[in-house]
Amino acid sequence: MASTRKLLTVVCFNLLLGAAAVASTQPVHAPHVIVVSVHELASQTGVEIMRAGGNAVDAAVATGFALAVVHPAAGNLGGGGFMLVRMTDSKLHFIDFREKAPAAATATMYLDSNGDVTDDPWLGYRSIGVPGSVAGLVFAETHLGKLTLAQVMAPAIRLAREGYPLTWQEARDMRDDKYLGKFPESRRIFQRDGNYYKQGEIFRQPELARTLERIASNPSDFYHGAMARELATSIQKGGGLITTNDLANYEVKERAPVEGSYRGYQVISAPPPSSGGTVLLEILNILEGYDLARSGARSAESVHLVAEAFRRAFYDRAEFMGDPDFSKIPVAQLIDKKYAAAWRESIEPEHASISKNLKRPAIFSELEQYAAAHPQPTVTTESPHTTHYSVVDAEGNAVAVTTTLNDWFGSRVTAEGLGFLLNDEMDDFAAKPDVPNSDDLIQGRANAISPGKRPLSSMAPTMVLNDGKLFLVLGSPGSSRIISTVANVLIGVVDYGMNIQEAVNAPRFHNQWIPDVLSLEEWFSPDTVKILEQMGYTIKFGVGKGDEWRGYWSDAECIGIDPKTGERLGASDVRHNGKAVGY
Ligand code: DON
């Protein structure tokens, strides 16, 4: 009887989520080490490296290179990202390997003669930013890893050379992408020139294997050697701007993460040029003034309060965020608890605010001066696909990495002869004021295109500490929904007492100021939806524009630590095909 009920619960849950895999409400428990990523083979790679004596950074670097092979749509050599590391001695490292605009980039490079935005920011050679992933992973390995680069790259080289069986979804994604086929090298590698790969077929990538081997034996080749020349030549042949000088001038930046607190927990996350951590902390600061636990998860009251916090923090994102090497971003004021308290005064308990009527509380002259100097919000073309992975090792070192080509398969350009896809991260800059993007995301002039500048990101690799001890490792893809996803998961654990897997599974919601819409995943009760509508919300199920977006929200790949036993608790998102692997 009990087992029948359990089976029914699982079946119903699967039907609710539409998930292919059995949706568990329990995380994977591992006493020693764990890796959680969107691909089982990548998670296994990280674990294999820790079994061989590597620490969490070795494992993360190995997982990152493996994802570039087994998850080519988002895992990458030709993109960029952010890595947050916390070593057991409590030392924090934040490695910024975000792409940069090439030296020849200009503020108006994506406008046609009528002043309209072309397809260039998100498709083809001119959308490519100077890639940072290889530099970032090599930097992490050489500064914080215990093994050699060759050791941690060996599994990825093997996966590329020997291949791996494609899932139905992977085969479909390569076949159905509308743009991959426009680029002959991509069409040859990912679509076998029209003889599309099918589920279960082995996907081998010999050029990529060779490229990985070259990097493993001489990592500077990518930015300073023959590989840099081959890459720049291939991009320029297609009309792109990246030169060997751009590659030689690329540098990883070590930055201080943003830090704050939420109900006594310490929260550590991504600083600019990602908006992720700053916006997350602003949201949490606003929410700290409410008893969400009393309101209850998914109640109209708590959805309302959280959505209003999202609305205000995204309003500030639009105004203030950009590359900190190009303008001073007033992070300290934005994450000040006094600022959050002032914002709370504008939240009505029973009515939705109207986004266009929001007015920033004028309590900090730094914010007012900044806003006066950067008057008009501009719209960026941020769009959807990325990947996140989390690692904890036996000593308690932890790594959270979010990395991206920006779009699914990035610019769709594969570097000729090198076998890897290149990003379309230039799309994360604001191309032109007031032109809605695929994600309707608005940003400020601080994010205009400029040579050598890093485009604004929403990526938010995050850690939460409890009494100074590691408690959560969080992150997700999903564009602007990265931030609301991380917030939803964190609140799920801290406020609603969910275990990490329940918090990852729980239905998500999102508001990003403009558009003035509350996006809900499908699984909220009709009664709750009705109350929210009565409060004044315009509700939309799913995200973005068009049906293709309905199913895709985000993909949280997270870890919790059991405070009593120290067990590592891995939670891969039921919405995707990832896996938590540990021992
Ligand atoms: O850096 C950013 O915020 C975006 N390029 C990330 C894109 C993304 O997350 C898409 N994910 N599904």
Side-chain angles (χ1 to χ4, degrees):
M1 177 67 185
S3 63
T4 311
R5 206 168 51 228
K6 191 168 159 207
L7 181 68
L8 273 176
T9 312
V10 170
V11 170
C12 291
F13 196 58
N14 264 320
L15 289 174
L16 274 173
L17 294 181
V22 171
S24 174
T25 55
Q26 289 301 323
V28 170
H29 288 239
H32 305 293
V33 313
I34 200 148
V35 181
V36 191
S37 81
V38 71
H39 204 293
E40 183 168 7
L41 291 171
S43 300
Q44 279 169 357
T45 295
V47 170
E48 175 187 327
I49 287 295
M50 289 190 277
R51 277 194 198 279
N55 65 14
V57 176
D58 294 302
V61 173
T63 304
F65 280 116
L67 283 168
V69 178
V70 298
H71 188 49
N76 65 81
L77 298 185
F82 301 108
M83 178 185 286
L84 174 61
V85 180
R86 181 175 185 267
M87 303 303 276
T88 34
D89 62 4
S90 302
K91 194 142 192 263
L92 297 172
H93 303 267
F94 186 84
I95 301 171
D96 167 355
F97 53 98
R98 182 73 164 164
E99 300 90 329
K100 286 170 63 172
T106 64
T108 53
M109 65 187 278
Y110 295 125
L111 304 184
D112 65 16
S113 51
N114 298 323
D116 295 327
V117 181
T118 63
D119 286 345
D120 283 3
W122 61 271
L123 184 66
Y125 294 88
R126 281 166 56 82
S127 69
I128 304 168
V130 183
S133 289
V134 172
L137 293 177
V138 170
F139 182 94
E141 184 54 41
T142 44
H143 287 76
L144 299 167
K146 281 164 61 179
L147 306 179
T148 64
L149 189 63
Q151 279 174 298
V152 298
M153 290 185 69
I157 295 168
R158 194 181 63 231
L159 283 165
R161 173 147 301 120
E162 293 174 8
Y164 61 97
L166 292 168
T167 63
W168 175 84
Q169 197 175 328
E170 287 162 349
R172 180 206 58 185
D173 285 356
M174 293 203 294
R175 184 196 63 213
D176 285 0
D177 187 87
K178 287 203 281 270
Y179 306 105
L180 269 178
K182 288 183 187 290
F183 302 94
E185 189 78 339
S186 303
R187 183 171 154 80
R188 179 177 68 78
I189 293 177
F190 299 103
Q191 299 185 328
R192 214 164 40 187
D193 282 327
N195 174 22
Y196 299 107
Y197 284 98
K198 294 187 191 59
Q199 169 178 202
E201 273 196 87
I202 302 295
F203 182 47
R204 295 187 184 82
Q205 300 172 80
E207 291 94 346
L208 181 57
R210 180 78 199 110
T211 297
L212 289 165
E213 270 171 352
R214 288 171 68 186
I215 295 170
S217 63
N218 176 16
S220 74
D221 202 30
F222 191 97
Y223 292 95
H224 301 277
M227 195 178 290
R229 289 192 291 279
E230 291 160 37
L231 182 53
T233 305
S234 152
I235 294 173
Q236 284 168 23
K237 235 169 71 183
L241 302 182
I242 292 174
T243 63
T244 48
N245 269 347
D246 287 319
L247 291 164
N249 289 335
Y250 185 83
E251 50 186 10
V252 163
K253 299 254 173 168
E254 268 211 285
R255 302 187 189 271
V258 290
E259 295 186 61
S261 66
Y262 182 59
R263 303 194 200 280
Y265 293 87
Q266 192 186 346
V267 181
I268 305 157
S269 191
S274 182
S275 62
T278 309
V279 176
L280 175 68
L281 283 171
E282 192 176 336
I283 290 165
L284 296 174
N285 285 342
I286 294 173
L287 292 176
E288 214 172 29
Y290 301 107
D291 187 354
L292 292 182
R294 189 195 56 75
S295 311
R298 293 198 288 292
S299 68
E301 183 182 349
S302 70
V303 172
H304 165 58
L305 295 171
V306 176
E308 292 303 329
F310 287 170
R311 190 196 303 275
R312 284 156 178 77
F314 272 96
Y315 169 87
D316 282 334
R317 181 192 192 277
E319 184 80 62
F320 295 112
M321 291 281 137
D323 183 343
D325 298 336
F326 282 70
S327 54
K328 186 169 160 28
I329 314 294
V331 173
Q333 290 73 27
L334 293 170
I335 65 172
D336 192 308
K337 302 256 185 209
K338 290 197 289 290
Y339 185 57
W343 260 136
R344 272 197 299 273
E345 284 173 25
S346 66
I347 299 178
E348 292 183 53
E350 283 170 11
H351 293 287
S353 303
I354 296 168
S355 284
K356 69 176 169 32
N357 295 345
L358 276 197
K359 202 164 163 359
R360 181 181 50 256
I363 67 163
F364 286 126
S365 57
E366 291 87 344
L367 297 186
E368 298 316 304
Q369 281 158 13
Y370 186 103
H374 302 77
Q376 295 233 10
T378 55
V379 179
T380 182
T381 50
E382 188 168 358
S383 47
H385 292 96
T386 297
T387 194
H388 177 87
Y389 53 102
S390 301
V391 183
V392 176
D393 69 17
E395 274 74 51
N397 300 306
V399 184
V401 184
T402 315
T403 182
T404 188
L405 290 168
N406 189 35
D407 268 311
W408 211 225
F409 300 110
S411 60
R412 281 36 174 227
V413 172
T414 300
E416 214 177 318
L418 298 173
F420 63 87
L421 283 154
L422 288 151
N423 69 84
D424 63 327
E425 215 69 54
M426 293 296 284
D427 190 35
D428 272 355
F429 282 116
K432 190 194 172 187
D434 308 323
V435 179
N437 70 353
S438 54
D439 224 9
D440 286 325
L441 195 59
I442 292 190
Q443 303 178 101
R445 294 208 185 277
N447 192 32
I449 304 173
S450 202
K453 190 170 175 179
R454 284 154 145 89
L456 182 60
S457 172
S458 297
M459 293 190 279
T462 298
M463 293 184 196
V464 179
L465 311 183
N466 182 7
D467 267 344
K469 293 204 186 75
L470 186 69
F471 181 52
L472 301 173
V473 184
L474 307 175
S476 175
S479 269
S480 51
R481 291 169 312 282
I482 291 172
I483 302 171
S484 53
T485 294
V486 172
N488 271 294
V489 174
L490 198 157
I491 293 164
V493 174
V494 169
D495 290 287
Y496 305 134
M498 297 173 179
N499 73 39
I500 184 71
Q501 186 70 59
E502 291 166 336
V504 163
N505 295 354
R508 295 173 189 149
F509 55 94
H510 175 78
N511 173 283
Q512 59 183 45
W513 174 51
I514 302 285
D516 194 342
V517 161
L518 177 62
S519 306
L520 301 178
E521 282 189 311
E522 308 281 342
W523 318 297
F524 285 83
S525 99
D527 291 347
T528 306
V529 174
K530 204 161 153 206
I531 298 170
L532 288 165
E533 279 171 343
Q534 282 162 356
M535 283 178 162
Y537 284 99
T538 302
I539 306 275
K540 183 168 170 190
F541 288 97
V543 292
K545 293 174 182 161
D547 283 349
E548 67 192 89
W549 288 76
R550 250 181 122 67
Y552 191 86
W553 188 284
S554 53
D555 173 18
E557 301 291 334
C558 303
I559 297 172
I561 304 288
D562 184 322
K564 291 200 199 82
T565 63
E567 267 186 318
R568 285 79 172 107
L569 311 170
S572 184
D573 207 316
V574 286
R575 295 160 183 79
H576 294 272
N577 297 319
K579 192 91 174 169
V581 180
Y583 63 82

